[in-house]
């Protein structure tokens, strides 16, 4: 077994670098132009969908909608992740390792 000795500052820099790379690789990045939480109108505008389609999607059990605030709200990061997970191209082309690589992101 090898023993590695390093200064505390070097270890902190190494850990910061590793954590930053992990966040970049696995976190859903929400564009700055989008709010952290979308209301129904913002959701419809963003996806260019009709009110009936928005209702249909928001009623799905697997859709990330929060109704605790009186009106439905959709966390933008979870919406982007949900779209990614429900895109046919991803299912058909990303390969078998895709889900295992991303499964911890969904929590």
């Amino acid at each position: 077994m090898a023993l590695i000795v390093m200064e505390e500052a070097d270890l902190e820099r190494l850990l910061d670098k590793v954590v930053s790379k992990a966040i970049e690789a696995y976190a859903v990045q929400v564009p700055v132009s989008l709010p952290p939480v979308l209301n129904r109108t913002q959701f419809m505008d963003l996806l260019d969908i009709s009110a009936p389609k928005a209702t249909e999607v928001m009623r799905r059990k697997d859709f990330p909608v929060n109704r605790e605030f009186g009106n439905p709200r959709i966390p933008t990061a979870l919406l982007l992740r949900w779209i990614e997970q429900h895109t046919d191209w991803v299912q058909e082309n990303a390969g078998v390792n895709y889900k295992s690589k991303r499964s911890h992101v969904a929590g």
Side-chain angles (χ1 to χ4, degrees), residues 89-103:
W89 185 92
V90 171
Q91 302 299 324
E92 295 168 6
N93 299 289
V96 295
N97 292 328
Y98 178 78
K99 283 189 178 180
S100 64
K101 288 179 188 175
R102 300 288 294 182
S103 63

Side-chain angles (χ1 to χ4, degrees), residues 23-66:
I23 289 171
E24 286 175 23
Y26 295 107
V28 174
Q29 300 297 318
V30 176
V32 176
S33 61
L34 294 175
V37 178
L38 301 170
N39 63 33
R40 180 184 170 85
T41 303
Q42 292 167 322
F43 169 62
M44 291 171 25
D45 289 344
L46 178 65
L47 297 182
D48 191 25
I49 60 174
S50 65
K53 179 51 82 173
T55 299
E56 177 186 330
V57 172
M58 291 171 73
R59 286 183 178 161
R60 289 180 55 143
K61 291 185 187 249
D62 65 339
F63 187 75
V65 62
N66 184 315

Side-chain angles (χ1 to χ4, degrees), residues 3-15:
L3 177 64
I4 299 174
V5 178
M6 65 174 45
E7 296 291 324
E8 183 177 344
D10 292 334
L11 178 59
E12 286 179 8
R13 280 192 296 277
L14 177 63
L15 291 174

